Amino acid sequence: MPGSTPTHWYNILADLPFELPPDIPPPPAPAGAADAVTPQLPLELVRQSMTRERHVAIPPRVLAKYRTWRATPVARARALEERIGTRARIYYKYEGGNASGSHKLCTALAQAHAYAAAGATRLVTGTGAGQWGTALAVACQEFGLDCKVYMVAKSYHDKPYRGTIMRLHGAEVVPSPAAGRPTVGTGVHPGNIAYAVTEAFADARATAGTQLSVGSGEAYSILHSTVIGLEAIEQLGPDEQPDIVIGALGAGSNFGGMAMPFVGRKLRGEADVRCIAVESAGCPKLTRGEYRYDHTDGSGVSPLQKMYTLGSRFVTGGAHVGGLRYHACSKIVSALHHHRLVEALAYPQPDVFASGVLFSRTEGILPAPESAHAVHAAIQLAKEADEKGETPVILFCLSGHGLFDLSSYAEYLDGTLADTPVSDADIRRSLDLLPRLDEQVVGR
Ligand SMILES: Cc1ncc(COP(=O)(O)O)c(C=O)c1O
């Protein structure tokens, strides 16, 4: 379905029927510890995070870059529908067809533009699956910035060619934690996004002209990603609007980018639509976490935001979905979930890979493991609808391709892909380490 590139992003803050809980500055660092992390956001991103305008103009240089690959296609998954024998109509919006291979380029370009305009010469970041790191590498190259990526060690070793792509676009990439480096608890853990961001923070503090850029979760990254949902609304047209909208959830820019324009329509009374965030059962912050103040990284010194979290010290197991292994969820998506305006589902890794393989065999695109969560949810919801005799229109975001994830698909095909269950005790232990600040913020 052809479509046009929107000229404005959609800002959900304009339509929220409640105030978001304020961020809280970090507690004072103990003597000798690292200083509090105070990210230096360019004014452009501050404005985009705080404005209540419903439609925020996309800067012309960013729009020109978007137009090189957007609008991205929306397709009906007819072969998949036929294979599972559903009467539901399933559509997917494919975000994997750009230089970086995922939806992350929407915010990477907008951020690189804002940081370059504010005088930065180098951006650093933490990346989970590597999709964000790749997107930032591409965007930095487009806007003439140097780039260094701290990549969650497990993904770094599982997907060496992700690093090659980043280097191809001029970025430096290193594993996080660095090989052999002891971290939280005992021994070396496989890394997680919070820790990679902590390492990137330290680099930004120590290097002149360098800023930390984060790929997801912040209000501006969701705003930048709303081109996805806005295009889908236009592409599906008034007679085929979805009853169910689905996106995989890491920290929120993918789900938020697809769903926020639809949530806005729901809040304005223009449409009745279920928006469903899909997380990994190996990192179930919305479905099993608590709505609490927590740090956005693993350092314990970043500002606190109120969000659904498993605790910033939560160590995810070896799940092959680096992009969904973030301990918490964007404060915007969290608040919407808290107010029951969006829903959440979590699925175990083997079921998700089975659906990824089925999608590849029927529709011809191998989904990134993160995106396969959305595929799996679409299939499950279609089957549920069939059982109830309903025929919904289901739309999901196919947020990236899985061509660098072949080692995990090979494990699935070999029957060696592990499930990565999380115990209640693990979650409790991590949540018990959270600062007890909720009592201080009365009435929110
Ligand atoms: C392909 C893909 N889809 C979805 C996600 C989750 O995205 P977000 O963190 O924006 O929620 C990621 C994260 O890396 C990803 O790589």
Side-chain angles (χ1 to χ4, degrees):
M1 285 171 192
S4 55
T5 316
T7 55
H8 290 69
W9 293 303
Y10 167 68
N11 178 18
I12 186 77
L13 297 182
D15 289 315
L16 282 188
F18 50 80
E19 288 295 320
L20 290 178
D23 295 354
I24 297 183
D35 289 340
V37 172
T38 42
Q40 292 173 355
L41 275 189
L43 206 55
E44 190 170 313
L45 296 183
V46 174
R47 281 209 205 97
Q48 290 169 3
S49 305
M50 301 189 64
T51 178
R52 297 296 154 133
E53 274 178 293
R54 181 173 290 137
H55 306 290
V56 179
I58 301 173
R61 292 185 65 203
V62 176
L63 186 57
K65 306 270 183 217
Y66 279 0
R67 285 192 167 132
T68 61
W69 90 98
R70 307 202 70 87
T72 60
V74 169
R76 182 152 169 204
R78 286 183 192 274
L80 175 70
E81 287 172 15
E82 216 166 281
R83 179 69 69 88
I84 63 174
T86 184
R87 295 185 60 226
R89 299 195 291 290
I90 303 178
Y91 292 88
Y92 61 93
K93 183 152 176 72
Y94 184 43
E95 289 294 316
N98 63 59
S100 77
S102 81
H103 70 288
K104 297 277 184 186
L105 197 54
C106 303
T107 184
L109 284 168
Q111 291 193 44
H113 173 267
Y115 281 107
T121 53
R122 177 175 177 264
L123 295 183
V124 290
T125 196
T127 192
Q131 305 267 19
W132 164 243
T134 310
L136 195 66
V138 171
C140 282
Q141 188 181 48
E142 293 286 329
F143 285 104
L145 298 167
D146 291 335
C147 179
K148 179 167 178 177
V149 178
Y150 293 81
M151 183 168 177
V152 168
K154 179 156 186 6
S155 303
Y156 181 91
H157 297 297
D158 282 356
K159 313 181 208 185
Y161 295 127
R162 267 266 160 236
T164 307
I165 288 280
M166 291 179 222
R167 294 213 309 276
L168 204 119
H169 288 282
E172 184 186 351
V173 52
V174 293
S176 166
R181 185 164 163 185
T183 55
V184 295
T186 51
V188 176
H189 73 54
N192 61 26
I193 301 177
Y195 191 80
V197 172
T198 304
E199 292 203 311
F201 259 139
D203 181 328
R205 271 200 302 265
T207 320
T210 297
Q211 295 292 348
L212 173 83
S213 165
V214 289
S216 188
E218 299 299 336
Y220 53 81
S221 64
I222 292 181
L223 178 84
H224 300 154
S225 308
T226 55
V227 285
I228 301 171
L230 290 169
E231 287 174 5
I233 289 173
E234 184 202 328
Q235 287 166 309
L236 287 171
D239 298 333
E240 195 68 348
Q241 286 298 304
D243 301 293
I244 300 175
V245 171
I246 299 168
L249 181 85
S253 76
N254 172 56
F255 170 70
M258 173 57 111
M260 288 309 110
F262 291 96
V263 175
R265 298 189 75 203
K266 181 164 152 167
L267 290 172
R268 296 192 302 275
E270 296 166 11
D272 186 17
V273 50
R274 289 174 69 192
C275 294
I276 303 179
V278 190
E279 52 189 17
S280 163
C283 192
K285 52 269 182 135
L286 277 184
T287 50
R288 292 173 67 193
E290 289 181 359
Y291 191 42
R292 300 270 298 273
Y293 274 98
D294 193 6
H295 301 282
T296 52
D297 74 337
S299 68
V301 291
S302 60
L304 293 143
Q305 298 189 356
K306 189 148 184 182
M307 33 187 199
Y308 277 91
T309 182
L310 297 166
S312 46
R313 303 294 174 83
F314 183 77
V315 177
T316 36
H320 278 291
V321 280
L324 306 191
R325 291 170 65 186
Y326 182 62
H327 65 282
C329 166
S330 140
K331 61 183 178 184
I332 294 180
V333 175
S334 289
L336 287 168
H337 184 59
H338 182 67
H339 289 270
R340 302 186 190 287
L341 289 162
V342 301
E343 302 169 44
L345 293 169
Y347 294 114
Q349 182 158 261
D351 297 356
V352 164
F353 273 78
S355 291
V357 169
L358 179 61
F359 190 81
S360 172
R361 288 177 179 167
T362 49
E363 296 296 324
I365 301 174
L366 183 69
E370 292 81 4
S371 318
H373 286 69
V375 175
H376 188 65
I379 293 172
Q380 298 312 305
L381 289 159
K383 288 180 176 169
E384 273 174 31
D386 288 333
E387 275 165 26
K388 291 187 207 151
E390 295 168 358
T391 54
V393 173
I394 299 175
L395 168 69
F396 71 89
C397 185
L398 188 64
S399 46
H401 68 70
L403 295 176
F404 293 109
D405 301 282
L406 293 178
S407 62
S408 48
Y409 276 103
E411 276 184 37
Y412 171 77
L413 295 172
D414 292 344
T416 56
L417 186 82
D419 195 3
T420 55
V422 173
S423 74
D424 288 342
D426 285 343
I427 296 176
R428 191 71 266 149
R429 238 189 322 276
S430 166
L431 286 171
D432 284 347
L433 295 173
L434 284 181
R436 299 214 65 84
L437 288 171
D438 292 359
E439 305 79 12
Q440 298 172 26
V441 186
V442 180
R444 299 195 190 264

